[in-house]
């Protein structure tokens, strides 16, 4: 793709002087036409460092903000080529924060906060933590003419993410294979030595079973994570009712929750719909609900709430628990792959640390976001925010 980008660049830089007046703020029609069909993100900057033309993705990728170059590396390259000519090409990593579309109005709690306040009987004044996603970009910067500098950006994030996911899969599966292999060797030793102690054989077999179950869980989650990398495009065929997905997940977990005296409450708007993959969305909700059950004390409740945001453009799926809560310093990391927090208990200690990473990627592939509000001793509220279906 970067070679193609440089070829397109050659066509652009042949159009440096069209005889227009030096005070003309516009590009010539041929350059505008060429920029409009480029299979990349283009940005044009004038001599005052003002962005006079930018592809919408330039804002989403964090390169442009408020009609100016937002990234210092790109800004320096623009100044260099304007002063000295030539071109600059480099790799760049930016970060896009995925957070709810609007902040709640002053003095008015958000839907998530209202749901939590209703459950906890307390007011919440701490901010929530939302997920972010890095963007891996290849950039070329060069001068179009005496007045304009063009920035061409190729987003290679999907390729990089897939490569990282593949490497994580190979490394972690290889590491996890060692545990059942070791357990299998112990069981084989006990059988080979014709151990008279039946309990030794039984314990070795149980250990092998736990190791295999743990590895099966991890492989399953990694496969789900890999699947949740491809963006979901809204179509008439993938329109789904959110409450139906929530109810299906809640019903599947009620028995396990009741064994510990935990009641799962589901409430909210049953008419809300989103465009998406029902399997991925159910998986994300299930991961959040499983965490709520695992980290809640016996006899406490868990609530799943489905509400629209203030302008009904987003659907908020909130899972609320009365568990141990999460330290503020850990909240920025809990959506990372394989990260395990410091609040593990006997029910969560065998987890693989991929549940919230799956939630994050399901949110991002559905053009939404995931966030958490939590405080030690006050429980947690995880919210999956998805664009509401239109029409």
């Amino acid at each position: 793709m970067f070679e193609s980008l440089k070829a397109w660049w050659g066509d652009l830089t042949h159009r440096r002087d069209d005889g227009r007046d030096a005070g003309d703020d516009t590009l010539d029609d041929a350059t505008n036409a060429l920029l409009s069909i480029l299979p990349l993100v283009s940005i044009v900057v004038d001599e005052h460092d003002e962005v006079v033309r930018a592809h919408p993705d330039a804002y989403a990728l964090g390169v442009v903000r408020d009609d100016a170059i937002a990234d210092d590396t790109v800004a320096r390259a623009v100044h260099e080529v304007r002063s000295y000519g030539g071109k600059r090409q480099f790799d760049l990593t930016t970060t896009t924060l995925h957070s709810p579309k609007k902040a709640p109005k002053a003095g008015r709690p958000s839907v998530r906060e209202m749901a939590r306040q209703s459950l906890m009987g307390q007011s919440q004044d701490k901010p929530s933590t939302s997920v972010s996603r890095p963007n891996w970009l290849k950039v070329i910067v060069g001068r179009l003419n005496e007045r304009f500098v063009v920035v061409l950006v190729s987003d290679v994030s999907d390729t990089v993410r897939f490569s990282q996911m593949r490497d994580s899969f190979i490394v972690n599966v290889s590491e996890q294979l060692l545990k059942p292999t070791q357990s299998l060797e112990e069981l084989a030793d006990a059988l080979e030595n014709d151990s008279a102690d039946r309990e030794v054989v039984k314990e070795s077999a149980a250990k092998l079973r736990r190791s295999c179950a743990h590895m099966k869980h991890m492989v399953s989650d990694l496969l789900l994570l890999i699947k949740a990398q491809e963006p979901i495009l809204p179509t008439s065929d993938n329109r789904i009712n959110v409450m139906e997905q929530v109810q299906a997940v809640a019903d599947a977990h009620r028995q396990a929750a009741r064994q510990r005296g935990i009641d799962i409450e589901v409430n909210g708007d049953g008419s809300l719909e989103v465009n998406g993959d029902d399997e991925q969305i159910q998986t994300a909700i299930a991961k959040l609900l499983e965490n709520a059950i695992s980290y809640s004390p016996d006899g406490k409740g868990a609530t799943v709430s489905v509400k629209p945001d203030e302008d009904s453009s987003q659907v908020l799926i909130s899972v609320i628990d009365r568990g141990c809560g999460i330290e503020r310093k850990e909240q920025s990391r809990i959506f990372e792959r394989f990260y395990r927090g410091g609040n593990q208990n006997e029910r969560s200690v065998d987890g693989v640390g991929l549940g919230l990473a799956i939630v994050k990627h399901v949110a991002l592939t559905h053009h939404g976001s995931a966030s958490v509000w939590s405080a030690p001793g006050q429980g947690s509220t995880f919210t999956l925010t998805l664009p509401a279906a239109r029409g």
Side-chain angles (χ1 to χ4, degrees), residues 67 72 80 132 171 181 193 201 216 255 262 282 305 353 359:
D67 296 326
D72 291 341
E80 288 174 5
S132 61
V171 170
T181 300
N193 295 329
V201 176
K216 180 180 178 182
Q255 183 176 354
I262 296 175
Q282 284 196 28
S305 174
V359 173

Side-chain angles (χ1 to χ4, degrees), residues 221 224 249 278-288 290 355 358-359 362:
D221 278 359
L224 284 169
V249 173
D278 55 356
E279 180 184 358
Q280 288 189 32
I281 291 174
Q282 284 196 28
T283 297
I285 298 169
K287 295 298 182 184
L288 294 179
E290 288 166 6
I358 290 172
V359 173
V362 169

Side-chain angles (χ1 to χ4, degrees), residues 42-248:
S42 61
I43 306 159
V44 178
V45 185
D46 67 13
E47 74 273 27
H48 304 297
D49 286 341
E50 181 178 351
V51 174
V52 297
R53 175 193 174 104
H55 190 283
D57 285 351
Y59 295 87
L61 293 172
V63 180
V64 175
R65 185 185 306 115
D66 297 330
D67 296 326
I69 297 296
D71 183 85
D72 291 341
T73 303
V74 178
R76 284 194 299 270
V78 168
H79 294 159
E80 288 174 5
V81 299
R82 181 186 294 129
S83 300
Y84 307 111
K87 65 181 178 182
R88 303 291 184 274
Q89 57 186 60
F90 50 90
D91 294 337
L92 179 69
T93 302
T94 62
T95 300
T96 300
L97 179 67
H98 293 258
S99 56
K101 182 180 178 182
K102 289 184 177 180
K105 296 178 181 179
R108 179 178 179 180
S110 68
V111 173
R112 179 174 68 260
E113 290 167 337
M114 288 189 289
R116 181 165 182 79
Q117 289 172 20
S118 175
L119 179 65
M120 299 291 295
Q122 300 173 339
S123 65
Q124 310 298 329
D125 57 2
K126 293 185 178 181
S128 63
T129 300
S130 298
V131 301
S132 61
R133 166 175 273 182
N135 310 299
W136 288 275
L137 314 174
K138 289 187 176 294
V139 181
I140 287 184
V141 180
R143 192 167 61 186
L144 279 177
N145 52 39
E146 289 73 12
R147 299 198 57 228
F148 297 116
V149 173
V150 66
V151 181
L152 301 180
V153 180
S154 176
D155 184 2
V156 295
S157 301
D158 288 343
T159 301
V160 174
R161 289 189 190 106
F162 181 82
S163 177
Q164 290 182 341
M165 192 63 58
R166 179 197 59 206
D167 293 345
S168 291
F169 184 94
I170 294 172
V171 170
N172 286 281
V173 169
S174 299
E175 290 177 351
Q176 292 300 320
L177 276 172
L178 296 176
K179 294 181 180 180
T181 300
Q182 183 180 8
S183 299
L184 187 59
E185 288 177 351
E186 292 175 1
L187 177 59
D189 288 342
L191 294 174
E192 186 177 21
N193 295 329
D194 194 21
S195 174
D197 190 345
R198 181 176 177 83
E199 289 303 315
V200 172
V201 176
K202 188 175 180 180
E203 182 179 346
S204 297
K207 185 177 179 181
L208 174 62
R209 185 180 295 277
R210 288 193 301 270
S211 296
C212 290
H214 188 269
M215 187 177 68
K216 180 180 178 182
H217 183 192
M218 188 197 67
V219 172
S220 177
D221 278 359
L222 279 169
L223 291 173
L224 284 169
L225 199 54
I226 291 172
K227 185 176 180 181
Q229 301 296 312
E230 188 70 24
I232 301 294
L233 299 178
T235 69
S236 58
D237 295 329
N238 64 12
R239 189 171 180 135
I240 58 177
N241 180 276
V242 176
M243 187 61 79
E244 290 178 2
Q245 312 307 310
V246 169
Q247 289 286 8

Side-chain angles (χ1 to χ4, degrees), residues 252-325:
H253 289 78
R254 287 191 195 282
Q255 183 176 354
R258 284 171 181 162
Q259 290 176 356
R260 298 185 40 237
I262 296 175
D263 180 55
I264 300 175
E265 178 188 352
V266 176
N267 60 51
D269 190 335
S271 67
L272 297 175
E273 295 182 324
V274 298
N275 293 101
D277 183 308
D278 55 356
E279 180 184 358
Q280 288 189 32
I281 291 174
Q282 284 196 28
T283 297
I285 298 169
K287 295 298 182 184
L288 294 179
L289 190 54
E290 288 166 6
N291 279 356
I293 295 170
S294 294
Y295 289 100
S296 292
D298 292 353
K300 298 294 185 179
T303 299
V304 187
S305 174
V306 180
K307 301 286 178 63
D309 70 349
E310 291 181 354
D311 62 3
S312 299
S313 65
Q314 310 267 347
V315 178
L316 310 180
I317 308 168
S318 298
V319 178
I320 308 160
D321 68 61
R322 299 185 188 182
C324 57

